[in-house]
Amino acid sequence: MKRTLIALVGAISLSACAQAPQPADAAKTPAATTQPAAARPAANTPEARAVEAVRQLNPHVEVERVGAAPLPGFREAVVAGQVVYVSDDGRYLFLPGAGGALFDVNAKKNLSEAAMAQMRVELLKTIPASERIVFGPPNPKYTVTVFTDVECGYCRKLHSEIAEYNRQGIAIEYLAFPRMGIGSEDYKKMVSVWCAPDRKTALTDAKNDRALPNRECKTTVNAQYDLGQRVGLTGTPMILAADGTQLGGYVPPKALREALDRLAAEKAPATGAAAAPSGG
């Protein structure tokens, strides 16, 4: 499978439950690096800068075509089967579509994600701490929010490793996202979990296909589901850092700790100190 530009800069696909894990050999196979002749325009042209911008983000993808765009000030390129738009100065790359994003090529930064992160922080505040199901160590270094579903395979895999996330110093705060929709059997199970006297045990039981008593009560499951849609969720699980940064779908414990450490280090120069870890 060809690596995409968006994967390179860290916007990991959230549709984890709809995807099969990649074979180990596939992950080791590099994508083609030879650019076709059509992607080698004359130097110092908008087309040449467009190709160079793509290569800066990911030198392994294939630029299949580059030419005029319907968007003024941009070139249109076909990259690894995707249409992207690059500003004529090569500074910005726009990836259209449902998961579209605008990248600063020089900074290798997803500008759309940065804007979304700020909004997510405010939206997450609308769900009280008492409505989250928290699995965490006594003194977590990091706390992440995870939108979860009791049926999703990758959600179950993440939960099966909850002790290791905690050993990595990470607290997991679960919010509900019944992916089958409001009123579905999946939704009813999640309401039963949130209505249980011991939510942590009920959630674990539900993810292990253990029978749950049907319960109904006043919950924020509907609000959590709505919130998931508003923060850009397209599949479960969805992991958000304390600053609203999307860290992916299923991410193994060690890799998640490394990602959180990198995020903290990136923020350190701007504040003059290490980013303050969130409490649990």
Side-chain angles (χ1 to χ4, degrees):
M1 179 180 291
K2 297 177 181 177
R3 295 174 62 197
T4 64
L5 293 171
I6 198 168
L8 177 75
V9 291
I12 304 170
S13 171
L14 291 178
S15 302
C17 283
Q19 300 172 353
Q22 293 299 307
D25 291 343
K28 298 176 183 177
T29 303
T33 57
T34 302
Q35 302 295 332
R40 298 192 185 99
N44 298 319
T45 62
E47 288 78 11
R49 286 189 285 273
V51 172
E52 180 58 29
V54 170
R55 288 173 174 166
Q56 283 189 56
L57 286 179
N58 190 338
H60 301 293
V61 294
E62 179 179 315
V63 180
E64 298 160 10
R65 183 182 67 80
V66 61
L71 189 64
F74 281 77
R75 298 293 99 180
E76 180 181 271
V78 178
V79 184
Q82 293 178 286
V83 174
V84 301
Y85 298 96
V86 183
S87 60
D88 287 345
D89 61 2
R91 175 68 185 274
Y92 299 102
L93 183 147
F94 175 63
L95 183 65
L102 178 66
F103 297 97
D104 182 324
V105 174
N106 294 345
K108 292 184 173 62
K109 183 177 182 180
N110 184 335
L111 301 178
S112 301
E113 172 63 20
M116 281 294 294
Q118 296 176 16
M119 183 185 74
R120 289 177 187 129
V121 170
E122 296 305 312
L123 289 173
L124 288 171
K125 291 178 182 177
T126 64
I127 304 298
S130 61
E131 284 297 301
R132 302 163 187 244
I133 301 179
V134 183
F135 290 80
N139 297 294
K141 182 170 180 61
Y142 301 108
T143 296
V144 298
T145 298
V146 177
F147 282 88
T148 194
D149 174 87
V150 294
E151 300 289 352
C152 164
Y154 277 94
C155 297
R156 292 183 173 194
K157 180 172 177 58
L158 187 154
H159 193 66
S160 72
E161 299 173 317
I162 202 74
E164 183 57 31
Y165 287 104
N166 291 170
R167 278 192 288 271
Q168 292 288 341
I170 303 169
I172 304 289
E173 291 192 351
Y174 281 124
L175 292 180
F177 191 85
R179 61 197 178 111
M180 298 302 178
I182 302 297
S184 65
E185 287 303 311
D186 185 30
Y187 165 81
K188 293 174 183 177
K189 286 182 182 179
M190 299 202 79
V191 169
S192 293
V193 167
W194 255 258
C195 290
D198 184 344
R199 291 175 177 171
K200 292 172 69 173
T201 297
L203 183 63
T204 300
D205 286 345
K207 286 177 180 283
N208 285 286
D209 283 329
R210 300 190 187 109
L212 287 180
N214 292 323
R215 293 187 174 94
E216 292 185 6
C217 66
K218 184 177 180 180
T219 73
T220 60
V221 169
N222 288 40
Q224 293 175 46
Y225 178 78
D226 177 66
L227 181 62
Q229 295 176 312
R230 294 176 67 189
V231 300
L233 187 152
T234 58
T236 51
M238 179 190 197
I239 304 175
L240 300 177
D243 69 347
T245 298
Q246 179 183 341
L247 296 173
Y250 166 75
V251 182
K254 184 178 179 182
L256 182 58
R257 174 57 192 263
E258 291 171 352
L260 290 165
D261 285 342
R262 283 195 301 271
L263 189 61
E266 288 170 5
K267 291 182 174 297
T271 60
S278 58

